[in-house]
Amino acid sequence: MKLIKRTYFLTAIWLLPVMFIGSIFCFYMIEYIAYEETDEFLTYEMERLLNYHKENKVLPDYHKVANIIPGLRYEHPVFKDTLLLETGDGEMVPYRELYFTINHKGKDFTIVLSHLLLGKDDVAEGTAMIIFGLMFLVATFLILIVNHVTRKIWAPFYKTLNRLVQFKIGNPLPQFPETPIDEFKALNATLSALLKKITSDYQHNKEFNENASHELQTHLAVIRSNTEILLNKLPEKAGNGNELQTIYSASTRLSQFQRSLLLLSKINNGEFSNDVNVDMRQLATQTLSTFSETIDLLGISVEKDIRACHIFIDAGLAEILLNNLMKNAVKHNVQGGFISIKLTPSELWVENSGLPIQGQPEKMLNRFAKGENGNCGIGLAIVSQICELYEFGLSYEVFDTSNHRITIHWR
Amino acid sequence: MQISYRFERYSCTRNNSIFHEMKILVVEDNLQLLEAIRETLIVEQYVCETAKDYTTASEKVHMFTYDVMVVDINLLEESGLKLIREIKNIDPTTGIIIISARDSLDDKLEGLELGADDYLTKPFDMAELIMRVKALLRRRSFSGSPVVSFGDISIDTNRREVTAGTTQISLTKSEYNILLFFFSNPNRVLTKESIAEHIWGDNMDLADSFDFIYSHIRNIRKKITSAGCEDPIKVVYGIGYRLRRDYN
């Protein structure tokens, strides 16, 4: 939910009690004023009649008053509420009555003056109109004010946020806007410091990896080339160069392994982020063909259902992903086995015959998982890392004890 | 297009020197590796000079001409890429092989764009380096013929055709590559690892699980012997294979 929407929402909620209390207040206020006015009018009328009687000694005309009750006496004028039937529409209508007594020729006459009152429904209607009108005005202005204030006050925040969203690690550090607001100043300063630290850590990590790799590979090259020279210097029938061969193999493996680890750490560091729309069908077909000779050699039957599929991914990573999956399917296969590949816009499915594995299949996706002949399963760890990076779903299943299936759900 | 143009222009001077010794300059800042490369190239009958830094290399390039240069692009003080740019200015016909410990695609692309002919990632086998040097020399036609032969078996590298005796034999892509690898290194033991790396590159760990190399070599042998030639490949027990010294 956006900040401004949330502000509107909360403000609207707080307007509800205001509306409720305001309505009650307004209702009683109108009613009070109506009574006040009516009473004032009736009192005025009573005084006029009293004066008229004093001057002319004549009882007021029947037409002008509601009722004249002879013989009843009120010490003080009394107001009463009553309902009278309106003959026009047959409704009971509230009236205000004023009872007062005039002594006329030694006899008491109580005169009743009456005046139409505002009905409760009329008051309620008025209240509703006032409140709704007012609320409409308040809401309109609130929206305008909130909008304006939010925009003005939060502008530096949005600028910071925008730069932060656009920031990619490895890019130059973003410059956050100047702001007079302390909180935003603190936010920007903290963010700058954090980003600086992250970037420098990232840079150090990257450099360390590269330097370590560079040195390691160079010295491995020394070991390997010298071992190779020695291997070539062995006399033709001097038995075998087992120790030399061991050194040679170990250095070869080490350098391969280190290369894979470097790749893993590069993927982890997000150094591959040049995402493009990759035609997976073409890439899968191409990858499969690089292994075709090996597949023939093993007598593996290939069953493929490769449909059009485009994924937004770094081209290099897509290649590594497919290559490692196919290589895995070939490498851990058996003579005369099968490989089944299915590529659809929603998933990729590589199934192959192989040897039964001990333990849980999911563990095979972990780094350094040991296979049948002690191979380190770094190829699948790379696959898993790429899937994690792009949030693809990855699963490894074994069924019928020796059929392996890796499924990737593109998301 | 550009390469063939250069070839026409310089072929008259270069072709005179079919029998001249090939001169190679190796630029590498790791002295042990430099020495190992030098030793290997000398065994292969090349004239080999070395430079351990940019300055020495640059001086040598200005004074002498080389047929091939092997350059480490991660030199200490200056980038090897600068050196390549310089050589391309002075003598564009020099073949250039980049060696790098950095497995970075950018470096590779930049190097090849500058006109380098090949790119090797450290660590590499000496057999692989020799093979690349020979292939480069053949491509540039400095040594005349595109045909590589061993005994009565010959490979036409332009047409990718293999002839055993008088019969043309058909090899798969990997078999062809392995045979050419052997023929480029007639005096060397080729380890299983180096053959695997040669044909599969980064996928060489395929060889961990199966004896694919053995199968390929068995097929090559079968094809050669059924064409009426003797089997040229010999097993070096526990290590790999080599071409027979006493062949023909």
Side-chain angles (χ1 to χ4, degrees):
Chain A
M1 191 182 243
K2 276 198 165 181
L3 188 66
I4 197 156
K5 259 194 186 167
R6 187 84 191 149
T7 316
Y8 289 150
F9 183 70
L10 286 181
T11 318
I13 282 185
W14 280 105
L15 275 182
L16 286 179
V18 173
M19 211 166 134
F20 183 69
I21 298 167
S23 303
I24 295 172
F25 178 74
C26 194
F27 180 86
Y28 285 106
M29 212 57 205
I30 291 173
E31 202 170 43
Y32 171 76
I33 290 167
Y35 271 96
E36 198 81 336
E37 282 301 305
T38 313
D39 290 0
E40 200 180 315
F41 170 75
L42 287 175
T43 314
Y44 169 74
E45 199 70 351
M46 173 187 81
E47 274 163 10
R48 201 172 60 83
L49 285 177
L50 286 176
N51 283 339
Y52 178 80
H53 176 256
K54 213 183 264 176
E55 280 166 22
N56 303 315
K57 302 289 177 203
V58 177
L59 276 178
D61 199 338
Y62 260 107
H63 298 295
K64 288 189 180 164
V65 297
N67 203 0
I68 298 176
I69 309 162
L72 186 68
R73 181 175 179 82
Y74 284 93
E75 290 302 323
H76 301 286
V78 173
F79 288 103
K80 282 183 182 171
D81 284 338
T82 182
L83 288 172
L84 292 179
L85 187 73
E86 183 76 51
T87 44
D89 50 8
E91 244 180 63
M92 298 299 280
V93 179
Y95 275 83
R96 186 72 165 167
E97 290 177 332
L98 176 59
Y99 290 73
F100 65 96
T101 309
I102 297 178
N103 196 291
H104 182 66
K105 296 175 183 168
K107 273 174 98 181
D108 284 335
F109 292 91
T110 293
I111 294 177
V112 183
L113 286 175
S114 77
H115 190 267
L116 186 66
L117 261 182
L118 279 178
K120 293 234 186 252
D121 52 340
D122 298 322
V123 177
E125 198 178 307
T127 306
M129 271 156 78
I130 291 171
I131 288 296
F132 280 117
L134 207 61
M135 281 298 139
F136 178 73
L137 260 176
V138 169
T140 313
F141 275 91
L142 263 180
I143 288 175
L144 288 176
I145 292 166
V146 166
N147 212 340
H148 181 73
V149 170
T150 310
R151 245 166 237 204
K152 199 159 172 118
I153 289 182
W154 292 94
F157 170 77
Y158 282 114
K159 273 185 200 153
T160 301
L161 187 67
N162 200 24
R163 288 191 193 166
L164 204 58
V165 169
Q166 283 173 353
F167 175 71
K168 268 187 191 167
I169 199 140
N171 288 3
L173 287 177
Q175 279 297 320
F176 295 122
E178 288 288 324
T179 161
I181 301 168
D182 287 346
E183 285 85 345
F184 292 150
K185 261 188 206 163
L187 177 72
N188 288 348
T190 316
L191 278 177
S192 290
L194 267 178
L195 288 183
K196 204 172 161 193
K197 174 80 178 125
I198 291 170
T199 307
S200 84
D201 280 358
Y202 170 79
Q203 211 56 39
H204 280 150
N205 187 15
K206 208 174 139 190
E207 267 167 34
F208 173 79
N209 279 340
E210 273 165 14
N211 291 343
S213 166
H214 181 253
E215 285 307 307
L216 203 62
Q217 299 290 15
T218 302
H219 289 101
L220 280 170
V222 173
I223 297 175
R224 218 167 126 180
S225 51
N226 281 292
T227 322
E228 206 193 335
I229 288 170
L230 278 179
L231 278 174
N232 273 291
K233 278 183 182 163
L234 282 180
E236 190 86 352
K237 286 190 176 85
N240 57 47
N242 247 340
E243 293 87 352
L244 277 179
Q245 172 61 26
T246 311
I247 297 172
Y248 178 84
S249 290
S251 67
T252 309
R253 260 167 202 279
L254 187 56
S255 87
Q256 259 185 289
F257 198 60
Q258 200 272 339
R259 226 172 264 176
S260 302
L261 282 178
L262 182 68
L263 180 64
L264 256 181
S265 110
K266 277 184 173 176
I267 296 171
N268 224 350
N269 273 350
E271 285 179 46
F272 300 91
S273 53
N274 190 15
D275 292 355
V276 287
N277 200 12
V278 175
D279 182 352
M280 295 303 267
R281 174 161 67 173
Q282 193 205 337
L283 194 57
T285 317
Q286 192 186 313
T287 312
L288 199 56
S289 74
T290 59
F291 293 107
S292 63
E293 213 176 312
T294 322
I295 288 171
D296 288 346
L297 217 52
L298 275 179
I300 295 172
S301 60
V302 179
E303 193 184 302
K304 54 183 176 182
D305 176 10
I306 299 178
R307 298 182 213 162
C309 170
H310 289 263
I311 305 287
F312 204 64
I313 188 176
D314 183 274
L317 287 187
E319 210 179 312
I320 292 168
L321 181 74
L322 289 179
N323 188 70
N324 280 6
L325 281 176
M326 306 258 181
K327 179 165 70 182
N328 186 66
V330 174
K331 190 173 161 183
H332 300 291
N333 221 312
V334 289
Q335 193 83 36
F338 74 92
I339 296 177
S340 166
I341 295 157
K342 190 177 167 196
L343 176 71
T344 67
S346 64
E347 63 178 10
L348 170 69
W349 210 78
V350 181
E351 198 180 306
N352 65 279
S353 52
L355 297 168
I357 57 159
Q358 270 103 42
Q360 290 153 308
E362 308 85 59
K363 292 248 170 83
M364 297 305 287
L365 299 171
N366 291 346
R367 214 180 281 199
F368 307 125
K370 296 275 180 189
E372 278 303 301
N373 30 21
N375 296 320
C376 293
I378 202 159
L380 286 186
I382 290 171
V383 168
S384 159
Q385 188 84 58
I386 295 173
C387 287
E388 206 172 286
L389 184 70
Y390 286 96
E391 295 176 349
F392 298 151
L394 175 68
S395 66
Y396 189 119
E397 297 157 85
V398 177
F399 55 97
D400 299 343
T401 68
S402 60
N403 289 350
H404 304 245
R405 183 196 290 159
I406 296 179
T407 317
I408 295 178
H409 293 278
W410 318 118
R411 279 185 192 144
Chain B
M1 283 312 283
Q2 228 173 348
I3 288 175
S4 64
Y5 162 74
R6 282 190 202 132
F7 161 63
E8 274 166 18
R9 193 169 154 203
Y10 290 92
S11 57
C12 46
T13 52
R14 292 286 180 173
N15 258 1
N16 290 342
S17 52
I18 287 175
F19 299 108
H20 106 153
E21 290 173 304
M22 292 296 156
K23 268 175 82 182
I24 299 178
L25 176 64
V26 183
V27 190
E28 160 65 55
D29 55 5
N30 182 298
L31 290 178
Q32 289 117 319
L33 186 59
L34 185 62
E35 187 46 40
I37 296 173
R38 196 180 74 91
E39 199 180 315
T40 310
L41 289 175
I42 285 171
V43 170
E44 293 292 328
Q45 315 265 307
Y46 293 111
V47 177
C48 180
E49 290 200 27
T50 57
K52 68 169 179 28
D53 52 32
Y54 169 81
T55 326
T56 326
S58 180
E59 270 171 25
K60 290 201 171 176
V61 169
H62 279 91
M63 283 192 284
F64 312 104
T65 49
Y66 296 94
D67 299 289
V68 172
M69 281 189 53
V70 177
V71 186
D72 179 0
I73 54 168
N74 314 115
L75 291 175
L76 278 179
E77 78 277 42
E78 297 274 354
S79 164
L81 291 171
K82 189 179 165 193
L83 192 62
I84 293 166
R85 229 172 276 135
E86 219 170 297
I87 302 157
K88 281 288 151 187
N89 268 334
I90 299 166
D91 184 3
T93 53
T94 306
I96 294 169
I97 296 174
I98 292 176
I99 50 178
S100 167
R102 255 192 283 166
D103 202 3
S104 133
L105 194 65
D106 292 341
D107 281 355
K108 185 170 180 171
L109 289 179
E110 198 179 342
L112 295 180
E113 255 168 40
L114 281 177
D117 300 87
D118 215 335
Y119 190 99
L120 268 175
T121 310
K122 282 184 200 171
F124 48 84
D125 269 297
M126 289 301 133
E128 188 67 38
L129 178 66
I130 300 290
M131 156 105 203
R132 304 279 183 110
V133 168
K134 286 188 176 168
L136 178 56
L137 288 171
R138 265 200 315 275
R139 276 210 302 281
R140 300 229 143 189
S141 200
F142 298 157
S143 53
S145 161
V147 178
V148 185
S149 48
F150 184 76
D152 50 3
I153 307 165
S154 58
I155 302 176
D156 184 328
T157 54
N158 280 353
R159 298 179 178 180
R160 298 177 73 87
E161 280 172 2
V162 182
T163 317
T166 51
T167 328
Q168 189 177 316
I169 56 176
S170 95
L171 298 180
T172 66
K173 198 174 148 228
S174 301
E175 288 162 8
Y176 173 86
N177 286 337
I178 292 174
L179 194 65
L180 185 58
F181 194 36
F182 272 113
F183 280 25
S184 304
N185 291 284
N187 300 314
R188 303 180 70 83
V189 176
L190 299 184
T191 60
K192 281 186 213 159
E193 285 90 344
S194 72
I195 297 172
E197 195 166 15
H198 181 67
I199 57 173
W200 290 316
D202 281 346
N203 290 325
M204 68 172 288
D205 55 326
L206 267 180
D208 291 351
S209 321
F210 295 99
D211 224 337
F212 291 120
I213 307 290
Y214 172 75
S215 306
H216 279 310
I217 286 180
R218 192 189 52 201
N219 288 344
I220 295 172
R221 280 172 159 165
K222 231 188 265 170
K223 286 176 183 174
I224 289 174
T225 48
S226 63
C229 287
E230 245 183 289
D231 172 19
I233 301 169
K234 183 173 177 288
V235 176
V236 181
Y237 181 76
I239 299 172
Y241 302 89
R242 64 172 305 141
L243 288 180
R244 279 166 54 179
R245 282 189 184 151
D246 54 350
Y247 194 69
N248 286 357

